[in-house]
Amino acid sequence: MNEQQRKQQSQIRTEQANVDRIKKTSSEDMIAKYFQQEYEPQSPDIKQARKRKREDVQFHYDFSIPEDMEKIGHGKKFLIRTYGCQMNEHDTEVMAGILSEMGYESTTVTEEADIILLNTCAIRENAENKVFGEIGHLKPLKLENPDLIIGVCGCMSQEESVVDRILQKHQHIDLIFGTHNIHRLPHLVKEALFGKEMIVEVWSKEGDIIENLPKARKGKIKAWVNIMYGCDKFCTYCIVPMTRGKERSRRPKDIIQEVRHLVAQGYQEVTLLGQNVNAYGKDFEDIEYGLGDLMNDIHKIDIPRVRFTTSHPRDFDDRLIEVLAQGGNLLDHIHLPVQSGSSEILKKMNRKYTREEYLELVRKIRIAMPNATLTTDIIVGFPNETEEQFEETMTLVEEVGFEAAYTFIYSPREGTPAARKKDDVPEEVKKQRLYRLNELVNKQSAASMKDYAGKKVKVLVEGESKKDPEVLAGYTEKNKLVNFKGPKSSIGKIVEVEITETKTWSLNGVMVENTVEVN
Ligand code: SAM
Ligand code: SF4
């Protein structure tokens, strides 16, 4: 952490010895104290966010757990509940790593936990509602056990309205910290434990890049690797540029070292992570090095599978296509969020490409990678979307032949430009559109699955199927879920499976004898 960040940090300490005292304090008092402090309210503000500059990102390689916190968790347990995207899942791995280094053990039993963290998502209103529901459910537990530390972190904690609401209505929360404050977890836990204070630490300025954070990864087969943080695209519906800060890329050597390290530990697959990975390297001032270059370097590493997510079509350049076309460990499944098939809506979304440009990009990808599978994200019911504009989305889905899509009804997010727009599309119409779109996507997915009948596919075996422990489950190179009968010894390996049955979203099969790849 540097001095500048310290100045920018928004830290509130309210006097609050325990839950009883919280209950006695009126919410008005709490809020008055909250705003008396140096904290500057940070409603998501697009104008402010756009003013941010590229400079000032510093790299830190000296993270360590303070000596007096190394054993603080001995005999205690933590539970982190994660909402939202892969970025949050990976942040949870980092927080779990930090807590483990402090001596805590993980648990999945809420009643057993001494620390509960809710790692939240702000992307849509229903994601936020779920979190507030969970915050409410945890209150009796805190009343029973005042020593329990409950924390709220992740994207929601970057929103002033959320912090405000927690202070007013959910005073059983001990700790709120932002997406740029994760490495401060040991200090925050210490303050929550010993100071018996309610802590709010939300840095409005994005953090520097902290390199050697510990990670307690979920599983030993597939791993997330952050390649960049933040987003500067400012799509008009999206809160991410405000909750995650400006785009900042990790140095190539650090990423490559992390991937090599994962190989040494036996991982079979890495997914390179960022909100907009195609912008990787654009913030480097000393080197010309983009996602294509990084993929090219990772291509040479002996790891069987490399994926990346999420791609923004605008920055998907020819260099990347050329590199991906080499194949090998670079898989030919590309997740390319389109959001809408209407150029007019795309313009209003500030996506900075037209329908035609998106289709041209797809054409180029298909020339270079004829077998590539494309999947996407789509929003229906953007303010004032007409039936014709929605139809354009439907025709684009057909034309591209997406094999899967994450589909959403537009959800207004406070502080984003789209949320200020009047919207004349009734909710019922939006739901109908989502239904029609999902029907089409399901139909296309099922049709793509049918092509696999009788074929052999390579499956990275992840473990027993959730529904039947006698059945194993894993994913193909194109990310299709396969359930099959095979020996447990194949877990963690890539095996060949012959497909015997196809469903809309998964395939069933039998393992081809003696096909375990020794990696
Ligand atoms: N960076 C990625 C991109 O540009 O496609 C997307 C990241 S965002 C976490 C995941 C998806 O959530 C988006 O692709 C979009 O479809 C959806 N999303 C974002 N904001 C939304 C909103 N306000 N309402 C509904 N869906 C939204
Ligand atoms: Fe949000 Fe993705 Fe647009 Fe960034 S590129 S603003 S994360 S939708």
Side-chain angles (χ1 to χ4, degrees):
M1 172 180 47
N2 62 29
E3 200 45 42
Q4 195 180 6
Q5 282 178 325
R6 281 194 191 283
K7 282 185 198 147
Q8 298 245 0
Q9 81 180 35
S10 314
Q11 198 162 4
I12 304 118
R13 294 179 170 84
T14 52
E15 303 242 328
Q16 180 184 346
N18 54 33
V19 184
D20 294 337
R21 284 187 59 190
I22 296 170
K23 284 165 76 190
K24 281 183 204 149
T25 316
S26 78
S27 59
E28 286 73 23
D29 288 348
M30 299 282 291
I31 292 196
K33 278 183 189 166
Y34 169 54
F35 287 111
Q36 266 164 28
Q37 311 289 323
E38 55 198 295
Y39 179 84
E40 285 176 31
Q42 292 291 333
S43 290
D45 181 341
I46 197 154
K47 279 198 194 125
Q48 249 345 85
R50 277 179 187 281
K51 278 188 203 152
R52 64 199 183 199
K53 300 198 185 99
R54 287 197 179 276
E55 76 252 26
D56 285 335
V57 174
Q58 291 182 13
F59 295 79
H60 300 265
Y61 294 86
D62 55 358
F63 175 86
S64 65
I65 308 285
E67 231 175 87
D68 57 337
M69 292 301 286
E70 275 172 2
K71 296 194 176 107
I72 201 83
H74 276 187
K76 293 187 184 165
K77 296 190 172 167
F78 73 86
L79 182 151
I80 309 178
R81 207 149 276 160
T82 313
Y83 302 81
C85 65
Q86 298 97 331
M87 198 69 76
N88 269 15
E89 283 188 38
H90 190 42
D91 283 350
T92 289
E93 294 181 331
V94 172
M95 292 190 284
I98 295 175
L99 290 171
S100 301
E101 291 211 348
M102 290 164 68
Y104 288 93
E105 264 179 56
S106 76
T107 178
T108 50
V109 181
T110 315
E111 291 72 22
E112 268 181 21
D114 299 281
I115 295 187
I116 298 176
L117 297 180
L118 304 181
N119 187 7
T120 63
C121 170
I123 203 90
R124 281 171 293 278
E125 198 185 353
N126 58 1
E128 294 205 356
N129 291 343
K130 267 193 217 160
V131 171
F132 276 112
E134 184 58 19
I135 288 176
H137 287 146
L138 292 174
K139 188 169 181 179
L141 214 59
K142 175 74 184 181
L143 292 176
E144 254 172 50
N145 173 15
D147 292 334
L148 169 68
I149 303 287
I150 306 179
V152 176
C153 54
C155 288
M156 278 172 69
S157 54
Q158 293 292 136
E159 294 179 90
E160 184 208 357
S161 61
V162 168
V163 175
D164 215 2
R165 184 167 158 191
I166 293 175
L167 280 165
Q168 280 192 59
K169 297 198 177 136
H170 304 284
Q171 293 160 18
H172 58 288
I173 297 299
D174 302 276
L175 181 59
I176 305 174
F177 60 100
T179 55
H180 311 310
N181 304 68
I182 289 176
H183 63 290
R184 296 261 310 140
L185 191 55
H187 302 273
L188 297 171
V189 168
K190 182 176 171 179
E191 290 183 34
L193 278 175
F194 295 120
K196 298 272 182 199
E197 299 169 325
M198 181 176 186
I199 311 293
V200 181
E201 186 177 290
V202 181
W203 289 346
S204 50
K205 180 190 175 294
E206 42 281 314
D208 291 341
I209 292 183
I210 319 286
E211 270 306 332
N212 59 340
L213 291 169
K215 294 169 189 97
R217 295 184 190 271
K218 201 171 147 197
K220 302 245 169 280
I221 302 167
K222 303 204 292 193
W224 309 112
V225 175
N226 271 125
I227 63 166
M228 61 183 301
Y229 304 94
C231 180
D232 285 344
K233 281 286 175 281
F234 296 103
C235 302
T236 56
Y237 51 81
C238 185
I239 192 116
V240 169
M242 277 74 86
T243 61
R244 289 280 172 174
K246 70 182 174 189
E247 284 172 1
R248 48 217 194 277
S249 306
R250 288 179 71 197
R251 302 298 297 186
K253 70 171 178 27
D254 295 325
I255 298 169
I256 288 166
Q257 192 185 45
E258 186 174 341
V259 175
R260 287 194 192 286
H261 204 76
L262 291 165
V263 174
Q265 293 172 63
Y267 281 88
Q268 301 291 305
E269 179 176 311
V270 291
T271 301
L272 308 183
L273 270 189
Q275 291 297 350
N276 170 21
V277 285
N278 304 73
Y280 175 76
K282 286 190 192 292
D283 54 327
F284 291 148
E285 281 173 1
D286 55 337
I287 47 170
E288 285 270 330
Y289 189 91
L291 182 64
D293 304 303
L294 180 67
M295 295 296 279
N296 198 37
D297 283 339
I298 293 179
H299 175 62
K300 296 169 196 151
I301 298 178
D302 190 15
I303 180 137
R305 292 182 170 192
V306 181
R307 302 184 190 275
F308 58 103
T309 196
T310 297
S311 273
H312 190 295
R314 181 169 166 90
D315 293 324
F316 206 112
D317 57 21
D318 292 349
R319 165 77 176 141
L320 178 61
I321 296 176
E322 174 197 316
V323 170
L324 293 178
Q326 297 173 86
N329 61 1
L330 309 181
L331 305 182
D332 56 0
H333 164 218
I334 296 171
H335 187 69
L336 195 60
V338 65
Q339 314 297 357
S340 168
S342 151
S343 295
E344 286 154 4
I345 293 286
L346 288 169
K347 189 154 191 243
K348 288 184 184 167
M349 288 177 162
N350 193 31
R351 288 293 287 183
K352 297 204 169 80
Y353 55 83
T354 60
R355 173 192 175 98
E356 292 68 32
E357 283 163 347
Y358 185 91
L359 288 171
E360 173 58 17
L361 175 60
V362 169
R363 195 185 64 82
K364 279 203 246 174
I365 292 172
R366 291 222 189 278
I367 290 172
M369 289 176 267
N371 295 321
T373 288
L374 288 169
T375 56
T376 198
D377 290 355
I378 297 170
I379 297 176
V380 301
F382 187 78
N384 309 313
E385 180 191 59
T386 63
E387 177 59 25
E388 293 69 33
Q389 288 166 336
F390 170 68
E391 279 296 339
E392 286 184 85
T393 297
M394 296 286 275
T395 56
L396 181 118
V397 168
E398 278 178 313
E399 197 167 335
V400 176
F402 293 118
E403 294 184 19
Y406 293 107
T407 57
F408 311 101
I409 291 185
Y410 165 73
S411 170
R413 308 313 295 136
E414 189 192 325
T416 61
R420 291 196 291 272
K421 292 262 178 291
K422 273 203 171 152
D423 187 2
D424 64 8
V425 188
E427 207 49 39
E428 208 29 60
V429 172
K430 294 185 183 194
K431 283 187 187 155
Q432 267 300 318
R433 285 181 190 165
L434 183 69
Y435 178 81
R436 285 158 62 195
L437 177 61
N438 286 344
E439 289 282 288
L440 176 61
V441 172
N442 290 354
K443 197 175 97 191
Q444 290 187 188
S445 174
S448 73
M449 292 300 209
K450 284 221 156 42
D451 289 344
Y452 288 96
K455 295 208 173 120
K456 289 177 186 156
V457 286
K458 285 185 174 176
V459 177
L460 173 55
V461 190
E462 292 190 12
E464 294 168 2
S465 131
K466 282 183 191 141
K467 289 185 191 149
D468 181 353
E470 294 305 308
V471 171
L472 297 178
Y475 287 85
T476 68
E477 291 177 347
K478 290 169 183 286
N479 221 22
K480 309 283 186 196
L481 173 62
V482 181
N483 293 303
F484 66 100
K485 290 237 161 111
K488 298 262 157 85
S489 57
S490 63
I491 293 174
K493 304 202 168 98
I494 295 173
V495 302
E496 216 170 20
V497 175
E498 186 168 337
I499 301 304
T500 50
E501 189 188 357
T502 69
K503 299 182 165 183
T504 304
W505 294 111
S506 63
L507 302 166
N508 289 344
V510 284
M511 191 173 133
V512 180
E513 295 280 318
N514 301 324
T515 61
V516 175
E517 280 189 12
V518 182
N519 294 294

PDB file of all heavy atoms in Angstrom, residues 231 233-235 237-238 240-241 275 312 339 351, ligand 2:
ATOM      1  N   CYS A 231     -11.907  -2.100 -15.541  1.00  0.00           N
ATOM      2  CA  CYS A 231     -12.442  -1.961 -16.898  1.00  0.00           C
ATOM      3  C   CYS A 231     -12.605  -0.488 -17.235  1.00  0.00           C
ATOM      4  O   CYS A 231     -13.095   0.289 -16.416  1.00  0.00           O
ATOM      5  CB  CYS A 231     -13.792  -2.669 -17.001  1.00  0.00           C
ATOM      6  SG  CYS A 231     -14.487  -2.522 -18.660  1.00  0.00           S
ATOM      7  N   LYS A 233     -14.135   0.386 -20.253  1.00  0.00           N
ATOM      8  CA  LYS A 233     -15.008   0.423 -21.432  1.00  0.00           C
ATOM      9  C   LYS A 233     -16.259   1.274 -21.211  1.00  0.00           C
ATOM     10  O   LYS A 233     -16.836   1.791 -22.155  1.00  0.00           O
ATOM     11  CB  LYS A 233     -15.410  -1.007 -21.829  1.00  0.00           C
ATOM     12  CG  LYS A 233     -14.325  -1.736 -22.587  1.00  0.00           C
ATOM     13  CD  LYS A 233     -14.211  -1.218 -24.016  1.00  0.00           C
ATOM     14  CE  LYS A 233     -13.095  -1.801 -24.806  1.00  0.00           C
ATOM     15  NZ  LYS A 233     -11.780  -1.217 -24.526  1.00  0.00           N
ATOM     16  N   PHE A 234     -16.707   1.367 -20.013  1.00  0.00           N
ATOM     17  CA  PHE A 234     -17.869   2.198 -19.686  1.00  0.00           C
ATOM     18  C   PHE A 234     -19.103   1.909 -20.538  1.00  0.00           C
ATOM     19  O   PHE A 234     -19.681   2.821 -21.113  1.00  0.00           O
ATOM     20  CB  PHE A 234     -17.505   3.689 -19.765  1.00  0.00           C
ATOM     21  CG  PHE A 234     -16.479   4.101 -18.758  1.00  0.00           C
ATOM     22  CD1 PHE A 234     -15.163   4.302 -19.135  1.00  0.00           C
ATOM     23  CD2 PHE A 234     -16.819   4.238 -17.424  1.00  0.00           C
ATOM     24  CE1 PHE A 234     -14.200   4.654 -18.193  1.00  0.00           C
ATOM     25  CE2 PHE A 234     -15.853   4.579 -16.475  1.00  0.00           C
ATOM     26  CZ  PHE A 234     -14.552   4.793 -16.858  1.00  0.00           C
ATOM     27  N   CYS A 235     -19.476   0.663 -20.631  1.00  0.00           N
ATOM     28  CA  CYS A 235     -20.759   0.341 -21.246  1.00  0.00           C
ATOM     29  C   CYS A 235     -21.819   1.028 -20.380  1.00  0.00           C
ATOM     30  O   CYS A 235     -21.703   1.035 -19.153  1.00  0.00           O
ATOM     31  CB  CYS A 235     -20.975  -1.172 -21.273  1.00  0.00           C
ATOM     32  SG  CYS A 235     -19.650  -2.003 -22.175  1.00  0.00           S
ATOM     33  N   TYR A 237     -24.701   0.530 -19.314  1.00  0.00           N
ATOM     34  CA  TYR A 237     -25.551  -0.190 -18.351  1.00  0.00           C
ATOM     35  C   TYR A 237     -24.749  -0.740 -17.190  1.00  0.00           C
ATOM     36  O   TYR A 237     -25.313  -1.257 -16.234  1.00  0.00           O
ATOM     37  CB  TYR A 237     -26.232  -1.384 -19.060  1.00  0.00           C
ATOM     38  CG  TYR A 237     -25.259  -2.250 -19.813  1.00  0.00           C
ATOM     39  CD1 TYR A 237     -24.503  -3.217 -19.161  1.00  0.00           C
ATOM     40  CD2 TYR A 237     -25.043  -2.060 -21.183  1.00  0.00           C
ATOM     41  CE1 TYR A 237     -23.570  -3.976 -19.843  1.00  0.00           C
ATOM     42  CE2 TYR A 237     -24.113  -2.815 -21.872  1.00  0.00           C
ATOM     43  CZ  TYR A 237     -23.374  -3.762 -21.192  1.00  0.00           C
ATOM     44  OH  TYR A 237     -22.436  -4.502 -21.856  1.00  0.00           O
ATOM     45  N   CYS A 238     -23.429  -0.665 -17.243  1.00  0.00           N
ATOM     46  CA  CYS A 238     -22.597  -1.525 -16.399  1.00  0.00           C
ATOM     47  C   CYS A 238     -21.921  -0.781 -15.254  1.00  0.00           C
ATOM     48  O   CYS A 238     -21.342   0.297 -15.436  1.00  0.00           O
ATOM     49  CB  CYS A 238     -21.547  -2.199 -17.271  1.00  0.00           C
ATOM     50  SG  CYS A 238     -20.576  -3.394 -16.362  1.00  0.00           S
ATOM     51  N   VAL A 240     -19.450  -2.125 -13.418  1.00  0.00           N
ATOM     52  CA  VAL A 240     -18.106  -2.666 -13.165  1.00  0.00           C
ATOM     53  C   VAL A 240     -16.984  -1.608 -13.202  1.00  0.00           C
ATOM     54  O   VAL A 240     -16.117  -1.606 -12.315  1.00  0.00           O
ATOM     55  CB  VAL A 240     -17.797  -3.841 -14.118  1.00  0.00           C
ATOM     56  CG1 VAL A 240     -16.334  -4.249 -14.066  1.00  0.00           C
ATOM     57  CG2 VAL A 240     -18.678  -5.029 -13.763  1.00  0.00           C
ATOM     58  N   PRO A 241     -16.965  -0.681 -14.193  1.00  0.00           N
ATOM     59  CA  PRO A 241     -15.867   0.294 -14.190  1.00  0.00           C
ATOM     60  C   PRO A 241     -15.824   1.114 -12.898  1.00  0.00           C
ATOM     61  O   PRO A 241     -14.776   1.616 -12.510  1.00  0.00           O
ATOM     62  CB  PRO A 241     -16.175   1.190 -15.401  1.00  0.00           C
ATOM     63  CG  PRO A 241     -16.982   0.307 -16.293  1.00  0.00           C
ATOM     64  CD  PRO A 241     -17.830  -0.534 -15.381  1.00  0.00           C
ATOM     65  N   GLN A 275     -11.962  -8.463 -16.669  1.00  0.00           N
ATOM     66  CA  GLN A 275     -13.293  -8.020 -17.125  1.00  0.00           C
ATOM     67  C   GLN A 275     -13.295  -7.815 -18.622  1.00  0.00           C
ATOM     68  O   GLN A 275     -14.317  -7.886 -19.272  1.00  0.00           O
ATOM     69  CB  GLN A 275     -13.695  -6.710 -16.436  1.00  0.00           C
ATOM     70  CG  GLN A 275     -13.976  -6.852 -14.959  1.00  0.00           C
ATOM     71  CD  GLN A 275     -15.144  -7.762 -14.663  1.00  0.00           C
ATOM     72  OE1 GLN A 275     -15.878  -8.162 -15.574  1.00  0.00           O
ATOM     73  NE2 GLN A 275     -15.312  -8.113 -13.410  1.00  0.00           N
ATOM     74  N   HIS A 312     -13.874  -8.595 -24.884  1.00  0.00           N
ATOM     75  CA  HIS A 312     -14.714  -7.538 -25.475  1.00  0.00           C
ATOM     76  C   HIS A 312     -14.430  -7.534 -26.975  1.00  0.00           C
ATOM     77  O   HIS A 312     -13.264  -7.457 -27.378  1.00  0.00           O
ATOM     78  CB  HIS A 312     -14.360  -6.193 -24.859  1.00  0.00           C
ATOM     79  CG  HIS A 312     -15.318  -5.111 -25.217  1.00  0.00           C
ATOM     80  ND1 HIS A 312     -15.473  -4.669 -26.502  1.00  0.00           N
ATOM     81  CD2 HIS A 312     -16.190  -4.409 -24.470  1.00  0.00           C
ATOM     82  CE1 HIS A 312     -16.399  -3.719 -26.528  1.00  0.00           C
ATOM     83  NE2 HIS A 312     -16.850  -3.551 -25.291  1.00  0.00           N
ATOM     84  N   GLN A 339     -24.088  -8.731 -26.408  1.00  0.00           N
ATOM     85  CA  GLN A 339     -25.074  -7.908 -25.668  1.00  0.00           C
ATOM     86  C   GLN A 339     -26.336  -7.596 -26.457  1.00  0.00           C
ATOM     87  O   GLN A 339     -27.429  -7.649 -25.909  1.00  0.00           O
ATOM     88  CB  GLN A 339     -24.465  -6.599 -25.121  1.00  0.00           C
ATOM     89  CG  GLN A 339     -23.126  -6.736 -24.425  1.00  0.00           C
ATOM     90  CD  GLN A 339     -23.138  -7.592 -23.165  1.00  0.00           C
ATOM     91  OE1 GLN A 339     -24.181  -8.073 -22.753  1.00  0.00           O
ATOM     92  NE2 GLN A 339     -21.974  -7.827 -22.566  1.00  0.00           N
ATOM     93  N   ARG A 351     -21.083   0.202 -26.776  1.00  0.00           N
ATOM     94  CA  ARG A 351     -20.237  -0.975 -26.964  1.00  0.00           C
ATOM     95  C   ARG A 351     -19.128  -0.709 -27.989  1.00  0.00           C
ATOM     96  O   ARG A 351     -18.186  -1.476 -28.124  1.00  0.00           O
ATOM     97  CB  ARG A 351     -21.086  -2.176 -27.415  1.00  0.00           C
ATOM     98  CG  ARG A 351     -21.956  -2.740 -26.321  1.00  0.00           C
ATOM     99  CD  ARG A 351     -21.162  -3.384 -25.202  1.00  0.00           C
ATOM    100  NE  ARG A 351     -20.578  -4.661 -25.578  1.00  0.00           N
ATOM    101  CZ  ARG A 351     -19.891  -5.435 -24.755  1.00  0.00           C
ATOM    102  NH1 ARG A 351     -19.678  -5.065 -23.497  1.00  0.00           N
ATOM    103  NH2 ARG A 351     -19.390  -6.577 -25.154  1.00  0.00           N
TER     104      ARG A 351
HETATM  105 FE1  SF4 B   2     -19.033  -3.876 -17.976  1.00  0.00          FE
HETATM  106 FE2  SF4 B   2     -17.807  -5.579 -19.622  1.00  0.00          FE
HETATM  107 FE3  SF4 B   2     -18.674  -3.213 -20.532  1.00  0.00          FE
HETATM  108 FE4  SF4 B   2     -16.571  -3.337 -18.860  1.00  0.00          FE
HETATM  109  S1  SF4 B   2     -16.682  -4.152 -20.956  1.00  0.00           S
HETATM  110  S2  SF4 B   2     -18.253  -1.896 -18.791  1.00  0.00           S
HETATM  111  S3  SF4 B   2     -17.184  -5.026 -17.540  1.00  0.00           S
HETATM  112  S4  SF4 B   2     -19.916  -4.934 -19.756  1.00  0.00           S
END
